[in-house]
Amino acid sequence: MRRSYWEKNIFELIRRTSTSMPADVENAIRKTRRLEAAGSQAQWALDEMLAGIRAARESDTPLCPDTGALAFYFRVPVGFDTNALAAVVRAAVSRATRAGYLSQNTLDAISGARYPTNIGHELPAMYFDQGGRKNVDVRLVMKSAASENEGSQFSLPCRDLGVDSDLNGVRACALETVARAQRSGLGPGVLGICIGGDRSSGQAHARGQFLRKVGERSRVRLLSRLEDRILKDVRKLDIGPIGSGGKSALLGVNIDSLSRLPGSYFVTISYMGWAFRRRGAVMGPEGGVHRWLY
Amino acid sequence: MKTVEVTVDALRERKDQLRTGQRVRLSGNLLVSHGDSLRLLESALAEVEGDRTLVLYHGSALVKGREGARKVSSLGPASCHRYESLLVRILNLFPVSMVIGQGAMGDAMSEACAARGCVYLQAVGNTGALNAGRTVAAELFAENGDADPVWQLEVSGLEAVVSIDSCGRNQFRRAKTRATRQLKALLKERF
């Protein structure tokens, strides 16, 4: 492993993620803009978002002053030195914070003291998956605190929603989450949904759905139909991008499932506001970039 | 609806004419603070003398450079609903004419706006770089320990939409009622 290559390119990954929205998200915003009436408040909000995306890219500055919590997803060859990789990530995050691509966003949970380099307890988050491959696939997702606050977990059947442990219940959970997120003004959002699993695996798997592109449909036909149905239903809620009305409260829904026990049926929903900062790269074991993802 | 140009200096005379749903392009000085640093703002405002027009931007700014050569690289609003009680408290203590934030505010804010003649505007979140380009100057207003500092920014053409007017009419309340009704109807359907 050539540490300097790795550090330089992980830094570049952070810079790109902070300043340049992925094309799939930007295109989804353009597409949803067509749903809104000309001159409406919803269309104005979407135009501001598109102008914001352009401005961040052109000025090479963070899309949002809240650069959020960083989650790195690595897929590495068997036997790869992940401790060294974690050290490289921490060095690159410190450098990106000093350079102004990341805000000082990491606090001690009890005292509220700030970590000036954003290196804290379990932050940035890193997930490693070893497998039979030659290269390293790295993806970075930045998620704001406000987006994280709007996520939810349901245990079906749910008396409050009046639904059973089935896909109709999942649909109700998704609609309830979007309706609740109306207050936050974060829309149009994207939902990552995990059906099944336990409380912790469900959270991780729901967040992992953000690695899929917006508009990329589930390979499971039934879940793909459910994704479409939720998108259509949300338009009828008349929430709009900033909560004051319109059809574009959601850009996409990504659903997947994990095995579960007979006695539990968790539906875990992770919410991502429109500032969906996600980038990735395929890198050689020495740290050189083979190609950028998204 | 047509966008209206408003300056902070003329805000006291203009704010009662602003109606919910109206788009505003604001120029002038505002104070940027959010979350826990609202407490810092509160103590700093207590020491401010004079009869200035206060505009509070509930959000955060990334500011680079030293005093005299400061540059804002990103400015964005933050969701307000979790801090509604703190914001209402500030409105009740100080002559704030306008609050700009992100997302909805509830009945407490509507009542405070009506009682204090304040307007609440919603800005589009995460447009940090765009708003940085609409910022003319930045200076430190207050700082203390680990809390985010409070910045005083001069902005030109900052865009937002009136969400609660000075009569307490709340655009979000109407939208929420509609969405709740629709949600009930959709939950009766099946997949």
Side-chain angles (χ1 to χ4, degrees):
Chain A
M1 172 187 261
R2 293 182 64 170
R3 196 187 153 105
S4 59
Y5 271 25
W6 272 103
E7 195 178 315
K8 174 176 158 264
N9 286 323
I10 296 290
F11 173 85
E12 175 60 12
L13 174 67
I14 296 167
R15 187 193 70 77
R16 286 176 184 231
T17 313
S18 176
T19 62
S20 181
M21 284 277 273
D24 59 303
V25 182
E26 192 173 348
N27 289 337
I29 295 172
R30 282 185 207 289
K31 201 170 152 190
T32 198
R33 184 185 178 278
R34 288 186 221 130
L35 299 172
E36 303 295 356
S40 63
Q41 200 178 103
Q43 201 179 68
W44 162 78
L46 293 163
D47 285 340
E48 281 275 291
M49 290 168 200
L50 290 166
I53 291 169
R54 267 197 309 276
R57 199 173 283 141
E58 285 167 10
S59 60
D60 191 35
T61 51
L63 183 76
C64 175
D66 178 2
T67 51
L70 275 60
F72 288 88
Y73 296 84
F74 286 99
R75 297 170 73 206
V76 300
V78 172
F80 198 84
D81 186 352
T82 52
N83 286 336
L85 202 47
V88 161
V89 167
R90 290 190 195 102
V93 167
S94 301
R95 197 179 140 205
T97 308
R98 286 194 299 274
Y101 291 116
L102 298 175
S103 52
Q104 288 183 1
N105 242 0
T106 310
L107 308 180
D108 179 80
I110 311 301
S111 68
R114 209 167 277 268
Y115 295 105
T117 56
N118 274 324
I119 308 301
H121 201 172
E122 295 292 319
L123 283 176
M126 287 176 253
Y127 306 96
F128 298 100
D129 173 36
Q130 294 207 355
R133 56 182 71 89
K134 288 180 182 169
N135 294 320
V136 175
D137 179 307
V138 51
R139 292 162 199 242
L140 167 61
V141 177
M142 292 182 181
K143 191 164 190 256
S144 72
S147 284
E148 186 67 7
N149 288 340
E150 295 305 329
S152 48
Q153 189 169 57
F154 300 83
S155 177
L156 298 186
C158 176
R159 196 192 294 172
D160 289 347
L161 293 174
V163 291
D164 296 321
S165 312
D166 55 21
L167 293 184
N168 188 55
V170 176
R171 170 182 157 268
C173 296
L175 295 177
E176 168 72 13
T177 300
V178 176
R180 202 184 320 143
Q182 182 179 13
R183 64 192 175 179
S184 66
L186 295 166
V190 178
L191 300 183
I193 302 180
C194 173
I195 304 169
D198 59 26
R199 287 203 183 271
S200 79
S201 66
Q203 289 285 0
H205 203 62
R207 275 202 292 266
Q209 298 314 302
F210 295 132
L211 300 178
R212 284 165 55 188
K213 285 184 179 176
V214 174
E216 182 185 316
R217 302 172 70 176
S218 170
R219 278 175 288 187
V220 181
R221 203 166 160 191
L222 195 55
L223 296 186
S224 168
R225 272 183 49 216
L226 182 58
E227 289 170 348
D228 286 346
R229 176 67 187 272
I230 291 169
L231 268 176
K232 279 180 192 154
D233 283 351
V234 164
R235 283 178 198 158
K236 294 179 192 163
L237 290 175
D238 195 15
I239 287 173
I242 55 171
S244 54
K247 291 179 176 161
S248 50
L250 269 190
L251 296 174
V253 184
N254 293 349
I255 308 177
D256 200 19
S257 66
L258 291 176
S259 303
R260 63 179 177 86
L261 299 180
S264 67
Y265 194 115
F266 289 112
V267 179
T268 310
I269 303 181
S270 193
Y271 183 92
M272 178 73 87
W274 73 267
F276 185 167
R277 289 154 285 179
R278 179 222 316 112
R279 289 275 168 186
V282 177
M283 299 165 81
E286 297 299 307
V289 175
H290 290 197
R291 66 189 165 94
W292 294 101
L293 300 170
Y294 303 114
Chain B
M1 198 176 274
K2 198 178 151 194
T3 303
V4 291
E5 303 277 347
V6 177
T7 63
V8 172
D9 291 341
L11 192 56
R12 283 190 190 173
E13 295 80 52
R14 296 287 306 279
K15 64 184 165 66
D16 291 338
Q17 297 159 13
L18 299 175
R19 290 285 171 263
T20 55
Q22 193 151 34
R23 288 203 288 275
V24 169
R25 202 172 287 134
L26 182 75
S27 299
N29 286 317
L30 41 83
L31 298 173
V32 180
S33 174
H34 80 290
D36 292 338
S37 77
L38 286 172
R39 291 188 179 87
L40 174 61
L41 172 72
E42 190 181 322
S43 53
L45 282 176
E47 291 168 18
V48 172
E49 291 177 9
D51 190 28
R52 66 183 276 187
T53 305
L54 292 173
V55 175
L56 169 58
Y57 188 91
H58 185 263
S60 57
L62 284 180
V63 183
K64 288 180 179 175
R66 292 177 187 278
E67 197 176 340
R70 288 200 167 108
K71 191 172 174 345
V72 176
S73 61
S74 195
L75 167 69
S79 292
C80 291
H81 65 92
R82 289 156 58 88
Y83 296 100
E84 183 164 356
S85 58
L86 260 174
L87 287 164
V88 167
R89 185 181 149 86
I90 289 173
L91 250 61
N92 287 330
L93 288 172
F94 306 103
V96 178
S97 297
M98 179 183 276
V99 178
I100 303 172
Q102 181 182 359
M105 295 288 253
D107 291 343
M109 188 67 173
S110 299
E111 286 161 19
C113 281
R116 313 293 298 182
C118 178
V119 284
Y120 169 69
L121 274 68
Q122 196 180 170
V124 177
N126 303 304
T127 50
L130 181 68
N131 291 331
R134 293 165 173 166
T135 308
V136 180
E139 64 180 274
L140 195 61
F141 186 73
E143 70 175 335
N144 185 21
D146 286 314
D148 277 335
V150 179
W151 295 101
Q152 177 172 285
L153 304 185
E154 186 187 344
V155 297
S156 175
L158 196 71
E159 295 204 17
V161 64
V162 180
S163 194
I164 303 175
D165 65 19
S166 60
C167 300
R169 281 184 286 254
N170 189 333
Q171 185 184 37
F172 178 77
R173 193 189 294 148
R174 291 198 299 270
K176 183 72 188 166
T177 306
R178 269 195 323 264
T180 305
R181 197 171 51 232
Q182 286 295 99
L183 179 63
K184 269 187 187 170
L186 284 166
L187 290 180
K188 285 179 188 160
E189 297 176 10
R190 288 201 60 82
F191 174 68

